[in-house]
Amino acid sequence: MSHHFIRFTNVHYSYPDGTEALKGISLTVTHGERVALLGLNGCGKSTLLLHTNGLLLPSEGEVNVGDVPVTKNTLPVVRRAVGMVFQNPDDMLFMPTVYDDVAFGPRNMKLPEKEVDRRVRTALSAVGLKGCDDKAAFQLSGGQRRSAAIASVLSMEPDILVLDEPSSNLDIKARRNLIDLLKTFHHTIIVATHDMEMAQELCPRSILMQDGRIIADASTSEIMQRI
Amino acid sequence: MADIEKTYLKLARINTGGGCSNTSPAMLFITLTYLICVLSVPLYQPQKLIWLAAYPVAVSEIEGIGYGKIFIKSLWILPLVFFIGIFNPFIDTAVAFRIGNISVSQGCISFISILIRGLLSFQSVLILVATTGFIDIFNTMRKFGCPSVLTTQLLLSYRYIYLIIDQAVIMKRAREARGYGRKNYPLKMWGQFVGQLLIRSSQRAVWIHRAMDARGFDGTMPTGHSLTWTSRTWVWLVAWCSVIICLRLIDFSSLIKHFVS
């Protein structure tokens, strides 16, 4: 059973206040693809990403992660496969130390503590936070917090990595490190971003959204020309 | 409000000092024993509490925290304890003893007793947090049969307290940036501040909960390292509980008085 692709079939989603955020999204992201989600604020990018992990379930339509439909019953399987990095890293760092934050996912997967430790050290080393494991989140810089948030997802060794505006609030160096890090991830990546340069460098394919709909789905260079 | 940022950082730092030494698992039980002993001292015998102060002094020095720091931090609780006991001197006016022409009422004695036991209790809790850390406290509670629903709730409450303070700091900065040095605000504005604080905190809480869900949170906070009870842990537990119980039961004031006379 492969988890490495995501398929949206005519997905609609309305927030409880009545705001219709997604209006009939149909889309497939296949194994190993790197896709950028582009669009203005409020166009539905983040809402779409929240559906990949089952944090929001569609009001209408279906989301599939590999062969598995995203429903309440399949959430544990889906969340093992799809790792999501939120826009604000502070939302992801809620444990007393960076180590505990990065270990949170693997421990929820009930892995043996030895394996948890291996994954945490590998993830921290990958994001350049070796030696920061005993620090609290508030002791890290903005870029380091972002890296810790990414490490907390990498430690779950997901098949699909979903990132919501990962380069926001990062300085040039931290942004460069982030792009280089994401290039080393060989599975599927979906990135919602306003950072056109990052999209161009990282993602061969881009999807342009407007008002809850996909208005363009093409190669990033084509989309750039259109914009 | 003025020192909210400093208090936030201080609070956060108390917990990051958390140990995981092999005496940590015992600290919860030692603290419980201490609290029971402190609270069981009769209200009108504050002199017996003085001897119990030996525990926070000794443990904070042995653990390398320093009693000075613990004492200063324990002063945070003083306004609350002060408010609890302040009416005693006015209600209980019966004379307990006289010093020259000044009569000391039983209410004054009970007020002092409440202040001391409040400080000592808070100091012991601060030492517990500083030596053990919240996570290990909850781990110990869970290991000894405390329902996971309760420990998870406590852990999340602990996390959300920081969240609310964090939001308060952000809002305070935003207000000061546009306040042009203004310090006094009408009550209505404080009401709006608190309302906004709760709304913003609950929004953040939703995102944090989503982040937890996204990483497989199933309602039980995962625990990492298992707490190991070594022989040193047991020695530490038995030794300190014995010392605390002795400090509570033996009237050292009378003993000293007896030897001196």
Side-chain angles (χ1 to χ4, degrees):
Chain A
M1 181 169 65
S2 168
H3 287 135
H4 298 242
F5 72 87
I6 292 188
R7 182 178 297 124
F8 286 74
T9 314
N10 192 30
V11 170
H12 290 257
Y13 183 78
S14 297
Y15 281 100
D17 66 357
T19 310
E20 207 181 341
L22 298 181
K23 299 168 183 171
I25 299 284
S26 290
L27 143 84
T28 303
V29 178
T30 55
H31 177 221
E33 261 196 301
R34 289 186 198 152
V35 180
L37 273 181
L38 307 174
L40 300 177
N41 286 337
C43 71
K45 299 189 297 291
S46 297
T47 307
L48 183 71
L49 292 189
L50 291 172
H51 279 78
T52 59
N53 197 279
L55 288 169
L56 295 179
L57 294 171
S59 314
E60 198 187 315
E62 196 178 68
V63 181
N64 285 278
V65 175
D67 306 328
V68 183
V70 181
T71 62
K72 277 186 183 172
N73 297 332
T74 59
L75 290 181
V77 184
V78 168
R79 285 172 182 166
R80 274 171 186 245
V82 184
M84 182 159 182
V85 180
F86 289 6
Q87 188 175 352
N88 183 356
D90 286 342
D91 292 339
M92 300 187 67
L93 306 173
F94 42 78
M95 298 295 273
T97 65
V98 170
Y99 185 99
D100 286 322
D101 265 316
V102 179
F104 185 83
R107 280 176 182 157
N108 277 325
M109 292 161 79
K110 317 280 183 221
L111 295 173
E113 198 56 27
K114 204 174 170 185
E115 173 64 8
V116 171
D117 187 65
R118 183 194 69 77
R119 286 188 179 208
V120 172
R121 300 211 180 276
T122 309
L124 285 174
S125 164
V127 299
L129 283 183
K130 224 173 174 180
C132 291
D133 43 355
D134 281 335
K135 284 192 176 176
F138 72 89
Q139 292 172 312
L140 303 179
S141 68
Q144 285 177 320
R145 283 186 210 196
R146 175 81 61 192
S147 300
I150 293 172
S152 72
V153 170
L154 290 182
S155 64
M156 296 176 75
E157 298 184 356
D159 297 331
I160 299 161
L161 190 58
V162 176
L163 303 104
D164 194 356
E165 300 193 19
S167 62
S168 61
N169 300 326
L170 291 186
D171 63 28
I172 300 165
K173 195 180 166 198
R175 181 177 161 278
R176 171 50 43 201
N177 289 341
L178 173 74
I179 294 171
D180 291 343
L181 171 70
L182 292 179
K183 278 181 180 172
T184 63
F185 190 79
H186 294 297
H187 298 303
T188 312
I189 297 182
I190 304 174
V191 192
T193 185
H194 294 296
D195 185 342
M196 298 299 183
E197 285 175 23
M198 188 180 92
Q200 205 156 21
E201 188 174 342
L202 195 67
C203 305
R205 178 183 168 196
S206 283
I207 291 165
L208 187 60
M209 288 185 72
Q210 189 181 55
D211 193 25
R213 291 189 179 89
I214 293 173
I215 56 165
D217 182 351
S219 70
T220 305
S221 51
E222 266 179 64
I223 298 270
M224 291 294 176
Q225 280 172 356
R226 260 196 230 191
I227 293 171
Chain B
M1 275 304 284
D3 287 327
I4 194 164
E5 287 180 67
K6 280 184 192 169
T7 310
Y8 173 54
L9 289 172
K10 280 178 188 170
L11 264 172
R13 281 198 178 111
I14 292 173
N15 189 34
T16 51
C20 287
S21 65
N22 45 14
T23 57
S24 296
M27 286 304 289
L28 179 66
F29 297 99
I30 296 171
T31 307
L32 281 175
T33 309
Y34 183 74
L35 288 174
I36 291 167
C37 287
V38 167
L39 296 175
S40 68
V41 172
L43 202 57
Y44 298 110
Q45 295 175 358
Q47 73 278 9
K48 288 190 175 174
L49 288 168
I50 306 296
W51 297 104
L52 282 163
Y55 166 73
V57 174
V59 174
S60 54
E61 291 302 329
I62 292 168
E63 293 286 345
I65 308 159
Y67 183 67
K69 280 183 193 168
I70 292 292
F71 180 77
I72 289 166
K73 285 189 173 86
S74 72
L75 295 179
W76 292 342
I77 202 76
L78 211 53
L80 177 69
V81 187
F82 189 86
F83 187 74
I84 292 168
I86 188 62
F87 297 107
N88 285 25
F90 303 105
I91 295 165
D92 190 358
T93 51
V95 176
F97 59 88
R98 289 177 187 279
I99 305 170
N101 289 332
I102 303 164
S103 54
V104 178
S105 69
Q106 286 192 341
C108 283
I109 293 171
S110 64
F111 174 53
I112 291 166
S113 179
I114 288 169
L115 285 183
I116 296 172
R117 74 181 65 210
L119 283 176
L120 291 181
S121 303
F122 194 55
Q123 283 171 13
S124 68
V125 173
L126 284 174
I127 289 169
L128 171 67
V129 174
T131 54
T132 310
F134 275 105
I135 296 285
D136 281 345
I137 294 171
F138 299 132
N139 280 349
T140 313
M141 286 169 71
R142 198 179 298 172
K143 190 173 180 179
F144 284 89
C146 190
S148 125
V149 176
L150 182 67
T151 51
T152 301
Q153 287 302 317
L154 285 170
L155 200 62
L156 291 178
S157 306
Y158 157 68
R159 167 61 206 172
Y160 289 132
I161 284 168
Y162 282 105
L163 196 83
I164 290 172
I165 297 173
D166 197 24
Q167 287 301 316
V169 169
I170 293 167
M171 288 172 67
K172 181 200 157 227
R173 279 184 194 152
R175 197 194 61 181
E176 279 178 358
R178 289 171 288 159
Y180 302 103
R182 185 180 170 184
K183 298 247 162 132
N184 298 319
Y185 290 92
L187 197 62
K188 188 185 167 191
M189 202 152 169
W190 281 108
Q192 288 170 342
F193 184 92
V194 172
Q196 281 297 315
L197 178 63
L198 290 176
I199 290 168
R200 288 170 62 121
S201 302
S202 66
Q203 280 175 341
R204 278 283 308 274
V206 166
W207 277 102
I208 287 177
H209 194 258
R210 278 180 177 164
M212 293 166 80
D213 274 347
R215 284 187 274 158
F217 179 63
D218 59 0
T220 307
M221 219 62 176
T223 54
H225 55 276
S226 54
L227 295 166
T228 44
W229 282 67
T230 60
S231 51
R232 186 164 180 250
T233 317
W234 286 108
V235 170
W236 185 261
L237 175 69
V238 173
W240 271 115
C241 286
S242 310
V243 169
I244 290 165
I245 291 167
C246 285
L247 289 170
R248 169 67 188 88
L249 296 179
I250 300 169
D251 189 353
F252 288 97
S253 309
S254 304
L255 273 178
I256 291 169
K257 206 171 160 186
H258 175 74
F259 282 121
V260 170
S261 63

